[in-house]
Amino acid sequence: MDCDVIVIGGGPAGLAFARGLASSSLAIVLVERQSLAALAEPADDGREIALTHRSADRLKRLGAWDHIDPTQVAPLSAARVLNGASPFALAFGPAEGCGGRLGQLVSNWRLRRALFAATEGQTSLNIRAGAGVTGLRRSDSGVEVELTDRTRLRARLLVAADSRFSETRARLGIAADICRLGKSMLVVPVEHQRPHDGVALEWFGHGQTIACLPLADPLRSSVVLTLPEDAIARLAMAEPALLAEELSRRSAARLGPLRPLSRPFVYPLATVWSRHFAAPRAALIGDAAVGMHPVTAHGFNLGLLGAATLATRVTAAARSNGDIGAATVLRGYETTHRLAAAPLFAATGAIVRLFTDDRPAARLARPALLRAASLAPVRAGVSRLLARH
């Protein structure tokens, strides 16, 4: 089967990229291991995504925002960062002209469903669901992919969007710095007594990190707890009453006693930085390019940005009758996206190293650094960094 673009991976980045090519008239084949039913109606995975205003605008341009129930969009009015037992909190509020919102939170499964729904009727897109990749070959003129059903696909450009542990990236010979952190993230929706007022809380306690993300209901939040893998595994198996007691204790009952509303979800933590975002006739987007630590809640936004950056360059090349897989197109994407991703990736790594280090020197340094970060020029710089994505 001949086409113009092969996309490996039907997650948010892959779907957003495919949808971003809708006006290009390019023939696209998207390959995804999951079934079509799982793509159309994803299961709830417990994760809540903090969307920036720019990401929401991108979703609107892609036609995905229309498929999200507005009553399930939780306004994010502010964020507060706390350290240990200190009463001081570093606060971030919305910038001028943002309608009183720092951003908004939407469930990951709802975003996936909306992006898939936006692709329905896209005549240039063929989704090969329930298929994996068994082989990949490249030449000067294109790339050939063999699927598990022995179908062979030929295209001018291959785009990998198949997770931070991307098999396609490995097949392309692109190295990546993968850091398995030895910690896991437990995520569970909870009910509480005090309203959250649309404020996200992130508390770096000694030996733990816990976040409370506001949901659409003012008395419901998503709790995200990070601990060593073995501790999270034990907690995930606890009876609901014991889990409720433990989460209430670990959150210092800031919102009152917490009552879990579902079973918890567990995600081992690892960060990924690919040495290159492009190779001859191929590009990486989403987590295949950069797998962010969730502490800044910015991985999804960065994935949308990368998909939009590549789609814009490929569409421009197609409209000028150029080679969409040319080195100049892919180098341009790689340079632009690395410049956008590198500062955020580095800053996130620095935050994680400092605020999860329980040695005495680090614990003494944290309060001073939080107060320094509260200065207006520093907060403005952080806001500008986040506003780019």
Side-chain angles (χ1 to χ4, degrees):
M1 180 185 295
D2 290 325
C3 59
D4 296 303
V5 184
I6 300 169
V7 182
I8 309 297
L15 289 169
F17 172 71
R19 183 60 182 160
L21 295 181
S23 65
S24 69
S25 299
L26 293 171
I28 309 151
V29 176
L30 186 148
V31 179
E32 168 56 45
R33 287 184 182 275
Q34 293 186 88
S35 68
L36 202 60
L39 285 174
E41 291 294 337
D44 185 355
D45 61 9
R47 290 178 289 183
E48 300 295 322
I49 304 299
L51 294 172
T52 62
H53 295 289
R54 287 198 175 185
S55 289
D57 288 341
R58 289 188 182 100
L59 291 169
K60 289 172 185 175
R61 289 195 294 272
L62 294 174
W65 197 256
D66 293 338
H67 297 281
I68 298 173
D69 181 352
T71 66
Q72 298 303 316
V73 177
L76 183 59
S77 60
R80 300 176 71 230
V81 182
L82 304 104
N83 174 60
S86 171
F88 174 78
L90 175 60
F92 292 93
E96 289 186 18
C98 291
R101 290 187 180 188
L102 189 62
Q104 45 262 311
L105 286 113
V106 183
S107 298
N108 184 57
W109 70 270
R110 287 192 171 92
L111 290 167
R112 294 173 69 103
R113 184 176 66 180
L115 282 163
F116 179 81
T119 67
E120 290 188 317
Q122 186 171 327
T123 55
S124 60
L125 176 62
N126 177 10
I127 296 180
R128 298 296 298 268
V133 175
T134 58
L136 187 158
R137 288 181 291 277
R138 284 177 294 167
S139 67
D140 291 341
S141 60
V143 60
E144 182 177 284
V145 169
E146 184 171 348
L147 305 185
T148 47
D149 63 1
R150 299 201 175 182
T151 298
R152 291 180 183 270
L153 306 175
R154 291 184 296 271
R156 292 183 285 163
L157 174 65
L158 172 73
V159 176
D162 54 339
S163 87
R164 62 189 63 198
F165 303 113
S166 169
E167 294 180 2
T168 309
R169 181 181 64 217
R171 285 191 171 99
L172 291 169
I174 299 176
D177 298 321
I178 301 175
C179 182
R180 298 179 186 272
L181 301 174
K183 294 186 177 182
S184 290
M185 180 175 72
L186 180 145
V187 183
V188 63
V190 299
E191 195 170 55
H192 42 79
Q193 294 177 346
R194 303 187 192 109
H196 52 58
D197 297 324
V199 178
L201 295 174
E202 182 135 31
W203 180 23
F204 295 98
H206 302 317
Q208 69 168 28
T209 301
I210 190 166
C212 294
L213 307 179
L215 299 181
D217 186 321
L219 296 179
R220 292 187 175 187
S221 296
S222 174
V223 169
V224 183
L225 175 65
T226 302
L227 294 170
E229 290 179 345
D230 56 347
I232 287 291
R234 289 193 298 271
L235 193 55
M237 297 297 293
E239 293 295 323
L242 181 59
L243 177 62
E245 180 182 341
E246 188 73 1
L247 293 178
S248 299
R249 181 185 69 81
R250 288 183 175 277
S251 65
R254 293 177 184 275
L255 294 170
L258 305 180
R259 184 175 71 86
L261 297 173
S262 78
R263 66 178 182 85
F265 298 84
V266 173
Y267 297 96
L269 295 181
T271 62
V272 176
W273 179 263
S274 297
R275 302 283 181 86
H276 295 282
F277 294 176
R281 293 287 161 187
L284 310 180
I285 60 174
D287 284 356
V290 185
M292 294 283 292
H293 190 286
V295 69
T296 57
H298 223 61
F300 189 98
N301 299 297
L302 191 62
L304 284 186
L305 174 63
T309 301
L310 182 59
T312 297
R313 290 183 173 273
V314 170
T315 298
R319 287 177 175 170
S320 64
N321 294 318
D323 182 358
I324 61 172
T328 52
V329 174
L330 300 180
R331 279 199 300 266
Y333 156 70
E334 178 172 33
T335 299
T336 301
H337 195 46
R338 287 178 84 84
L339 285 173
L344 189 60
F345 188 82
T348 300
I351 290 170
V352 171
R353 286 190 295 273
L354 176 64
F355 285 94
T356 60
D357 186 345
D358 284 326
R359 290 176 297 181
R363 289 171 63 169
L364 286 172
R366 289 200 287 262
L369 287 170
L370 273 183
R371 290 187 180 275
S374 69
L375 298 174
V378 179
R379 286 196 299 166
V382 173
S383 297
R384 284 195 298 271
L385 177 63
L386 297 179
R388 294 176 191 166
H389 302 91

